[in-house]
Structures are given as C-alpha cells and as structure tokens.
Coordinates of all heavy atoms in Angstrom, one line a residue:
R1 N 83.4 125.3 105.1 CA 83.5 126.7 104.6 C 84.7 126.8 103.5 O 84.9 127.8 102.9 CB 83.8 127.6 105.7 CG 85.1 127.5 106.4 CD 85.2 128.4 107.6 NE 84.4 128.0 108.6 CZ 84.6 128.3 110.0 NH1 85.7 128.9 110.3 NH2 83.7 127.9 110.9
H2 N 85.6 125.7 103.5 CA 86.7 125.7 102.6 C 86.4 124.7 101.4 O 87.4 124.3 100.7 CB 87.9 125.3 103.3 CG 88.4 126.3 104.3 ND1 89.1 127.4 104.0 CD2 88.2 126.3 105.7 CE1 89.3 128.1 105.2 NE2 88.7 127.5 106.2
G3 N 85.2 124.4 101.2 CA 84.8 123.5 100.0 C 84.9 122.0 100.3 O 84.6 121.2 99.4
F4 N 85.1 121.6 101.5 CA 85.1 120.2 101.7 C 83.7 119.7 101.9 O 82.8 120.4 102.5 CB 85.9 119.8 103.0 CG 87.5 119.8 102.7 CD1 88.2 120.9 102.9 CD2 88.1 118.7 102.3 CE1 89.5 121.0 102.7 CE2 89.4 118.7 102.1 CZ 90.2 119.8 102.3
R5 N 83.4 118.5 101.6 CA 82.1 117.9 101.8 C 82.3 116.5 102.4 O 83.2 115.7 102.1 CB 81.4 117.8 100.5 CG 82.1 117.1 99.3 CD 81.5 117.3 98.1 NE 82.3 116.7 97.0 CZ 83.4 117.0 96.3 NH1 83.9 118.2 96.6 NH2 83.9 116.4 95.4
S6 N 81.3 116.1 103.2 CA 81.4 114.7 103.9 C 80.9 113.6 102.9 O 80.0 113.9 102.1 CB 80.6 114.7 105.1 OG 81.0 115.5 106.1
V7 N 81.6 112.6 102.8 CA 81.2 111.5 102.0 C 80.8 110.3 102.9 O 81.6 109.9 103.7 CB 82.2 111.1 100.9 CG1 82.3 112.2 99.9 CG2 83.6 110.8 101.6
P8 N 79.7 109.6 102.8 CA 79.3 108.6 103.6 C 80.3 107.4 103.4 O 80.9 107.2 102.4 CB 77.9 108.1 103.1 CG 77.4 109.3 102.3 CD 78.6 110.0 101.8
Q9 N 80.6 106.8 104.6 CA 81.4 105.6 104.6 C 80.6 104.3 105.0 O 79.6 104.5 105.7 CB 82.5 105.8 105.6 CG 83.4 107.0 105.4 CD 84.1 106.9 104.1 OE1 85.2 106.1 104.0 NE2 83.8 107.6 103.0
W10 N 81.0 103.2 104.5 CA 80.2 102.0 104.5 C 81.0 100.8 105.2 O 82.2 100.8 105.2 CB 79.5 101.6 103.3 CG 78.7 102.7 102.7 CD1 79.2 103.7 102.0 CD2 77.4 102.8 102.7 NE1 78.2 104.6 101.7 CE2 76.9 103.9 102.0 CE3 76.4 101.9 103.1 CZ2 75.6 104.4 101.8 CZ3 75.0 102.3 102.9 CH2 74.7 103.5 102.3
T11 N 80.3 99.7 105.6 CA 80.9 98.5 106.1 C 80.1 97.3 105.6 O 78.8 97.5 105.4 CB 80.7 98.5 107.7 OG1 81.5 99.5 108.2 CG2 81.4 97.1 108.2
W12 N 80.8 96.2 105.2 CA 80.2 95.1 104.8 C 80.5 93.9 105.7 O 81.5 93.7 106.1 CB 80.9 94.7 103.3 CG 80.5 95.6 102.3 CD1 79.7 95.3 101.2 CD2 81.0 96.9 102.0 NE1 79.6 96.4 100.4 CE2 80.4 97.3 100.8 CE3 82.0 97.7 102.6 CZ2 80.7 98.6 100.3 CZ3 82.3 99.0 102.1 CH2 81.6 99.4 100.9
T13 N 79.4 93.2 106.1 CA 79.6 92.2 107.0 C 79.4 90.8 106.4 O 78.4 90.6 105.7 CB 78.5 92.2 108.2 OG1 78.7 93.5 108.9 CG2 78.7 91.1 109.3
V14 N 80.3 89.9 106.6 CA 80.3 88.5 105.9 C 80.4 87.5 107.0 O 81.1 87.7 108.0 CB 81.4 88.5 104.9 CG1 81.2 89.4 103.7 CG2 82.8 88.6 105.5
P15 N 80.0 86.2 106.7 CA 80.1 85.2 107.7 C 81.6 84.6 107.7 O 82.3 84.6 106.7 CB 79.1 84.1 107.2 CG 79.0 84.3 105.8 CD 79.1 85.8 105.6
L16 N 82.0 84.2 108.9 CA 83.2 83.5 109.1 C 83.1 82.0 109.0 O 82.1 81.4 109.4 CB 83.8 83.9 110.4 CG 84.5 85.3 110.6 CD1 84.7 85.6 112.0 CD2 85.8 85.3 109.8
P17 N 84.2 81.3 108.4 CA 84.1 79.8 108.5 C 84.1 79.4 109.9 O 84.8 79.9 110.8 CB 85.4 79.5 107.8 CG 85.8 80.7 107.0 CD 85.4 81.8 107.8
A18 N 83.3 78.3 110.1 CA 83.2 77.8 111.5 C 84.7 77.2 112.0 O 84.9 77.3 113.1 CB 82.2 76.6 111.5
V19 N 85.3 76.6 111.1 CA 86.7 76.1 111.4 C 87.8 76.9 110.6 O 87.7 77.1 109.5 CB 86.8 74.6 111.0 CG1 88.3 74.0 111.3 CG2 85.7 73.7 111.7
R20 N 88.8 77.4 111.5 CA 89.8 78.2 110.9 C 91.2 77.6 111.2 O 91.4 77.0 112.3 CB 89.6 79.6 111.2 CG 88.3 80.2 110.9 CD 88.1 81.7 111.0 NE 88.2 82.2 112.4 CZ 86.9 82.3 113.1 NH1 85.8 81.8 112.6 NH2 87.0 82.8 114.3
R21 N 92.2 77.8 110.3 CA 93.5 77.3 110.4 C 94.5 78.1 111.3 O 95.5 77.5 111.7 CB 94.1 77.0 109.0 CG 93.4 76.2 108.1 CD 94.1 76.2 106.8 NE 93.5 75.4 105.8 CZ 93.5 75.5 104.4 NH1 94.2 76.5 104.0 NH2 92.9 74.7 103.6
A22 N 94.1 79.3 111.6 CA 95.1 80.0 112.5 C 96.4 80.3 111.7 O 97.4 80.2 112.3 CB 95.2 79.6 113.8
G23 N 96.3 80.5 110.4 CA 97.5 80.7 109.6 C 98.2 82.1 109.8 O 99.3 82.3 109.4
F24 N 97.5 83.0 110.4 CA 98.0 84.4 110.6 C 98.7 84.5 112.1 O 98.1 83.9 113.0 CB 96.9 85.5 110.4 CG 96.6 85.8 109.1 CD1 95.5 85.1 108.5 CD2 97.4 86.7 108.3 CE1 95.2 85.5 107.1 CE2 96.9 87.1 107.0 CZ 95.9 86.4 106.4
S25 N 99.8 85.3 112.1 CA 100.3 85.5 113.4 C 100.7 87.0 113.4 O 101.1 87.5 112.4 CB 101.6 84.6 113.6 OG 102.5 84.7 112.6
P26 N 100.8 87.7 114.6 CA 101.1 89.0 114.7 C 102.5 89.4 114.3 O 103.4 88.5 114.5 CB 100.9 89.3 116.3 CG 100.0 88.3 116.7 CD 100.4 87.1 115.9
V27 N 102.7 90.6 113.7 CA 104.0 91.1 113.3 C 104.7 91.6 114.6 O 104.0 92.4 115.3 CB 103.9 92.1 112.3 CG1 105.2 92.8 112.0 CG2 103.3 91.4 111.0
D28 N 105.9 91.3 114.8 CA 106.7 91.9 115.9 C 107.5 93.1 115.5 O 108.4 92.9 114.6 CB 107.6 90.8 116.5 CG 108.3 91.2 117.7 OD1 108.3 92.5 118.0 OD2 108.8 90.4 118.5
H29 N 107.1 94.2 115.8 CA 107.8 95.5 115.4 C 109.2 95.5 115.9 O 110.0 96.4 115.4 CB 107.0 96.8 115.6 CG 107.0 97.1 117.1 ND1 106.2 96.5 118.0 CD2 107.7 97.9 117.8 CE1 106.3 96.9 119.2 NE2 107.4 97.8 119.1
C30 N 109.6 94.7 116.8 CA 110.9 94.7 117.4 C 112.0 93.9 116.6 O 113.1 93.8 116.8 CB 110.9 94.2 118.8 SG 110.1 95.5 119.9
V31 N 111.4 93.1 115.6 CA 112.2 92.2 114.8 C 112.4 92.9 113.3 O 111.5 93.0 112.6 CB 111.6 90.8 114.4 CG1 112.4 90.0 113.7 CG2 111.4 90.2 116.0
P32 N 113.6 93.5 113.1 CA 113.8 94.2 111.9 C 113.4 93.5 110.6 O 112.9 94.2 109.7 CB 115.3 94.6 111.9 CG 115.7 94.5 113.4 CD 114.8 93.4 113.9
D33 N 113.7 92.2 110.5 CA 113.5 91.4 109.3 C 111.9 91.3 109.0 O 111.4 91.4 107.9 CB 113.9 90.1 109.3 CG 115.5 90.0 109.1 OD1 116.0 91.1 108.7 OD2 116.1 89.0 109.3
E34 N 111.1 91.3 110.0 CA 109.6 91.3 109.9 C 109.2 92.6 109.5 O 108.3 92.7 108.6 CB 109.0 91.0 111.3 CG 109.1 89.5 111.7 CD 108.2 89.1 112.8 OE1 107.0 89.6 112.8 OE2 108.5 88.2 113.6
V35 N 109.7 93.8 110.0 CA 109.3 95.1 109.6 C 109.8 95.4 108.1 O 109.0 95.9 107.3 CB 109.8 96.2 110.5 CG1 109.5 97.5 109.9 CG2 109.3 96.0 111.9
K36 N 110.9 94.9 107.8 CA 111.5 95.0 106.4 C 110.6 94.4 105.3 O 110.2 94.8 104.3 CB 112.9 94.5 106.3 CG 113.5 94.7 104.9 CD 115.1 94.1 105.0 CE 115.6 94.2 103.6 NZ 117.0 93.8 103.7
R37 N 110.2 93.0 105.7 CA 109.3 92.3 104.9 C 107.9 93.0 104.6 O 107.3 93.1 103.6 CB 109.1 90.9 105.4 CG 108.2 89.9 104.5 CD 108.1 88.7 105.2 NE 107.4 88.7 106.5 CZ 107.4 87.6 107.4 NH1 107.8 86.5 107.1 NH2 106.7 87.9 108.5
L38 N 107.3 93.5 105.8 CA 106.1 94.2 105.7 C 106.2 95.5 104.8 O 105.3 95.7 103.9 CB 105.7 94.7 107.1 CG 104.5 95.7 107.2 CD1 103.2 95.1 106.5 CD2 104.2 96.1 108.6
R39 N 107.3 96.3 105.0 CA 107.5 97.5 104.2 C 107.6 97.1 102.7 O 107.2 97.8 101.9 CB 108.7 98.2 104.6 CG 108.5 98.9 106.0 CD 109.7 99.7 106.5 NE 109.8 100.9 105.6 CZ 109.3 102.1 105.8 NH1 108.4 102.2 106.8 NH2 109.5 103.0 104.9
S40 N 108.4 96.0 102.4 CA 108.5 95.6 101.1 C 107.2 95.3 100.4 O 106.9 95.7 99.2 CB 109.4 94.4 100.9 OG 109.6 93.9 99.7
T41 N 106.4 94.6 101.1 CA 105.0 94.2 100.6 C 104.1 95.4 100.4 O 103.5 95.5 99.5 CB 104.3 93.2 101.6 OG1 105.2 92.1 101.7 CG2 103.0 92.7 100.9
L42 N 104.2 96.3 101.3 CA 103.4 97.6 101.3 C 103.8 98.4 100.0 O 103.0 99.0 99.3 CB 103.6 98.5 102.5 CG 102.9 98.1 103.8 CD1 103.4 98.7 105.0 CD2 101.4 98.4 103.6
A43 N 105.1 98.4 99.7 CA 105.6 99.1 98.6 C 105.3 98.6 97.2 O 105.2 99.4 96.3 CB 107.2 99.2 98.6

C-alpha cells in the first residue's frame, strides 16, 4: 500500500571440486586483529 513491490530472488547451484584444500578457517570475533582485518577488507 506504500508503493513497495516484491522482486523475485534466485539461487545458482554449481558443482564442488571433489578434492579441496581447506584453505579457509573461521574468523574468531574475540580476536581484535581478526575483526580489524575483516572490517578493513569490507571497507
């Protein structure tokens, strides 16, 4: 009633490599330097 309209949202599905290196690790929000690095990258 205020002029907003719904817009459809979509997902794309792609295959994963069978072998992966596990190069990613979780960010610890209790470590200030990790959060600072994340914020710098976001900016």
Side-chain angles (χ1 to χ4, degrees):
R1 68 185 68 153
H2 296 279
F4 282 91
R5 55 197 181 273
S6 296
V7 288
Q9 301 293 288
W10 301 78
T11 299
W12 289 257
T13 301
V14 298
L16 281 168
V19 178
R20 303 194 285 279
R21 295 174 180 161
F24 281 95
S25 57
V27 171
D28 188 342
H29 70 277
C30 294
V31 178
D33 284 349
E34 289 198 31
V35 177
K36 182 178 179 180
R37 181 179 61 191
L38 170 61
R39 291 184 65 91
S40 177
T41 305
L42 282 164

